[in-house]
Amino acid sequence: MSVGELFNPGSIALVGATDKSGWSISTLANLRAHGFPGPVHLVNPRGGVVHGLPAHRSLTEIPERVDLAYVMVPTAAVLGVLREGAKLGIRCYVILTAGFGESGEEGARLEAEIAAFAAENGLTILGPNGNGFINAAAGVTPYGLPIPAPLLRGAVGVVLQSGALASSVLGFAQARNVGVSLLTSMGNETVVTVTDVIDYLVDDPATKVIALFLETIRNPAEFSRVARRALEAGKPIVALKIGRSKLASHTAQAHTGALVGDDDVIDAALRQLGVIRVRSLEDLIITAGLLASSGPLPGRRVGVVTPSGGASEIIADRAEDEGLELPPFAPETVAKLAEIVPSFGTVQNPLDVTGYVLIDRTLLGRALEAVTADPGIDLIMLLSEPPKVAPPDPAPVLATYAASAGRITSSPVPVVVVSNVLTDVTEFGRRVQAETGFPYVAGGIEHGLHAIGAAVRWSEQRERMLSRSVPLPRAVAAPEGASGVWAEHRAAALLASAGLPVVPSELAADSSAAVAAAERFGYPVVLKAAAEGLGHKSDVGGVRLGLGGAEQVRQAYREVVAAVPSLDGVLVQPQRGGGIELLVGVVRDPAWGLTLAVGLGGVWVEVLRDTALRVLPVDAAEVRTALAELRGAALLNGLRGSEPADLDAVADVVARVAAFAESLGDGLESLEINPLLVSGSRVEALDALITWR
């Protein structure tokens, strides 16, 4: 299968061309209007004249080689077209026709026949049930809906699992002066998939950024592969992934299952892969446009230059939301700005140069130049935008924007230009940008700051990913015949056998054995019910804490036995106190595989729901990043004089737990430690639960 040949044909046949179809009319008009250099052949079973051109009755009648067949025939006739084309050596197809898998059982059968035929004959097929594609970089536009003018060529590759939204996305990109390299409407992905197109775009020299609209991620392993390729190549992927519904927990016995929803796992996986997830179509295009213009951004410290005090306050609020820093300007920068800004202005970050810019047209540019030299700033946010309306004499406007463009280009740090609000870039605005080199303008403070924050996070994640190498876990055979739920006495023993830190314990068969174990450990001790399949022991009265002597142990033993029938025995442990209790859980997601949840544990886990997720494998550095994301992270750092946790030790243990879970193979459904007690450098599992598939 050659996706490159699909997107770069030298000749095209429109099969099913007819004057009665708007699809047919639009596709031919697009090819004519946007510079397709090769021949376009029309095929209609009646022949005659279609769209003012002679039509062939079949592909066989075309006297020249055809590189791409754009198929618009009725559903039942599609396979016949493929058979005819395959005999003629046509390997690439776009199938506009609907009525396949999306329409029911019979359509799914027909689609399966197409898939089988394509595999047997080495065909590359985009669709069915898709509008086609727009290869703007090469001027190849077999696309079934009208393409709004002008078609802007640029560096953003757009891949959409929605035909209906494709034209709207393209129109918005053009309204914001964001040029595309390639836009594809995927349809049913019978042969060519989203990941195939991403693979192509990673290698495409015309593409710098990849923008995705995803309804589903069909093959997480393949998506992970191409996302890593994009990250290594320095090509950001920006994705709008819809579908945030919370589904039932994967493992009812474990707390972890209740905390890990499908969308939570997708969110964690995308973040780990360096994929920027956005929440709207506007953010999709604006963020992609910014990254295509700026590339990686070097840090979170932002200097803001704006002619509006009100905008400065909005920017300060939104910057905090995005995790961006607005540090004070250096003393030398303040001194320079004091000479530039009017006396009634205030020199601070964000910098409001005041409305005096209407009198002194150089004010904003001179202030920008001073801020770009500040040693404590990683990047600049400049509030500006292209002009809307052409004046009678545009020369002064062009000169002003050319001067600003020169300052921006020569800046030692990146300058990101953002407009006040989200409006269209007019034809004159596009002309000014094209003729002066004035950079891309992110539309609106809200979307602009979201884009800057996303670009900074992507840049940081790329640096982390390229510097890490997560070793594959050593395979360990799961215990023979492992099934069902392993309660603490068996789960903890398995963890301890792997060298993981587990609180000492003994399984006592009677009260005398329990007392003997307690005296060996030293008081106080804890008694816990040990029974096959028993998950939440405290819920059924199966736990007794703080036992300080032999008689208390005997009484507690009797109470636990009475509360929990069919015991395997009673587990005796030394009681631990102090420290912070964490949850460490690994649960198998049906799509992404084993997923780690780490967060505040103990009895508060389901109430606080303060967890960070990672798809395995992970290393200790990634675990530390996850711990820092918790709302309760301050507890680990030592709060109000309490002993801070040794985060390196915690991260090491959690990473080892995750690696051990992976090593157990496909039979593991979930593994949970709750709590994992952290007290300074001591890290110890106090309770564990394992569920086998």
Side-chain angles (χ1 to χ4, degrees), residues 68-228:
L68 172 68
Y70 189 92
V71 182
M72 302 175 282
V73 300
T75 306
V78 169
L79 188 56
V81 172
L82 299 182
R83 287 177 174 146
E84 181 187 13
K87 289 179 182 178
L88 298 170
I90 303 172
R91 293 288 173 259
C92 297
Y93 299 82
V94 173
I95 301 178
L96 173 77
T97 310
F100 290 94
E102 80 283 358
S103 65
E105 186 176 340
E106 176 60 18
R109 184 188 66 78
L110 293 173
E111 188 170 330
E113 288 184 356
I114 287 175
F117 185 80
E120 183 180 345
N121 292 273
L123 306 185
T124 301
I125 299 175
L126 181 63
N129 187 32
N131 294 328
F133 67 86
I134 299 169
N135 185 346
V140 183
T141 54
Y143 183 75
L145 294 172
I147 298 174
L151 176 58
L152 302 179
R153 291 168 172 81
V156 178
V158 183
V159 188
L160 302 119
Q161 287 180 327
S162 170
L165 289 177
S167 292
S168 297
V169 169
L170 180 63
F172 180 72
Q174 294 177 180
R176 287 305 312 164
N177 208 22
V178 176
V180 301
S181 55
L182 176 77
L183 181 144
T184 60
S185 170
M186 295 305 305
N188 291 6
E189 300 184 55
T190 303
V191 178
V192 175
T193 65
V194 165
T195 51
D196 293 326
V197 181
I198 296 173
D199 242 343
Y200 169 82
L201 292 172
V202 170
D203 296 326
D204 177 28
T207 300
K208 293 182 180 179
V209 179
I210 300 166
L212 308 177
F213 175 85
L214 299 174
E215 294 172 341
T216 184
I217 298 176
R218 301 178 190 276
N219 187 332
E222 184 66 6
F223 184 88
S224 297
R225 181 189 67 81
V226 296
R228 290 191 184 96

Side-chain angles (χ1 to χ4, degrees), residues 270-326:
L270 294 181
R271 187 168 55 252
Q272 284 174 256
L273 293 167
V275 176
I276 300 166
R277 189 174 187 182
V278 295
R279 57 196 176 197
S280 68
L281 292 171
E282 292 84 357
D283 282 329
L284 179 68
I285 296 304
I286 290 170
T287 304
L290 170 62
L291 280 160
S293 173
S294 71
L297 295 178
R300 293 176 174 263
R301 299 175 302 174
V302 183
V304 179
V305 180
T306 167
S308 167
S312 296
E313 294 172 3
I314 297 172
I315 291 167
D317 289 344
R318 285 293 291 116
E320 184 173 299
D321 296 340
E322 295 293 337
L324 300 171
E325 301 171 18
L326 303 180

Side-chain angles (χ1 to χ4, degrees), residues 366-455:
R366 289 186 292 125
L368 171 65
E369 197 166 14
V371 174
T372 60
D374 191 297
I377 297 296
D378 296 316
L379 63 106
I380 309 295
M381 175 179 170
L382 173 65
L383 214 62
S384 183
E385 58 188 302
K388 300 291 185 186
V389 180
D393 180 10
V397 173
L398 292 170
T400 299
Y401 277 87
S404 295
R407 288 189 177 96
I408 292 169
T409 303
S410 63
S411 169
V413 295
V415 177
V416 177
V417 185
V418 179
S419 61
N420 278 303
V421 294
L422 180 57
T423 57
D424 291 354
V425 177
T426 65
E427 183 178 350
F428 180 63
R430 283 196 295 270
R431 175 191 164 189
V432 168
Q433 288 186 279
E435 292 185 13
T436 67
F438 195 77
Y440 169 77
V441 179
I445 295 172
E446 168 68 25
H447 299 290
L449 273 165
H450 181 76
I452 293 171

Side-chain angles (χ1 to χ4, degrees), residues 480-496:
E480 186 176 351
S483 63
V485 178
W486 279 20
E488 180 181 358
H489 62 296
R490 298 181 72 186
L494 184 61
L495 293 171

Side-chain angles (χ1 to χ4, degrees), residues 553-629:
V553 170
R554 290 190 182 92
Q555 178 63 28
Y557 185 93
R558 290 191 292 271
E559 292 172 354
V560 169
V561 169
V564 184
S566 303
L567 281 177
D568 296 328
V570 172
L571 208 60
V572 184
Q573 297 173 344
Q575 178 151 327
R576 301 294 196 224
I580 302 296
E581 293 185 347
L582 295 180
L583 162 82
V584 178
V586 177
V587 65
R588 187 175 300 278
D589 180 81
W592 293 91
L594 292 178
T595 302
L596 169 72
V598 58
L600 296 182
V603 298
W604 297 106
V605 57
E606 290 173 347
V607 177
L608 299 177
R609 300 181 65 86
D610 185 13
T611 56
L613 303 184
R614 293 296 187 273
V615 175
L616 300 191
V618 296
D619 61 5
E622 188 65 39
V623 173
R624 280 213 57 166
T625 302
L627 290 169
E629 294 171 3

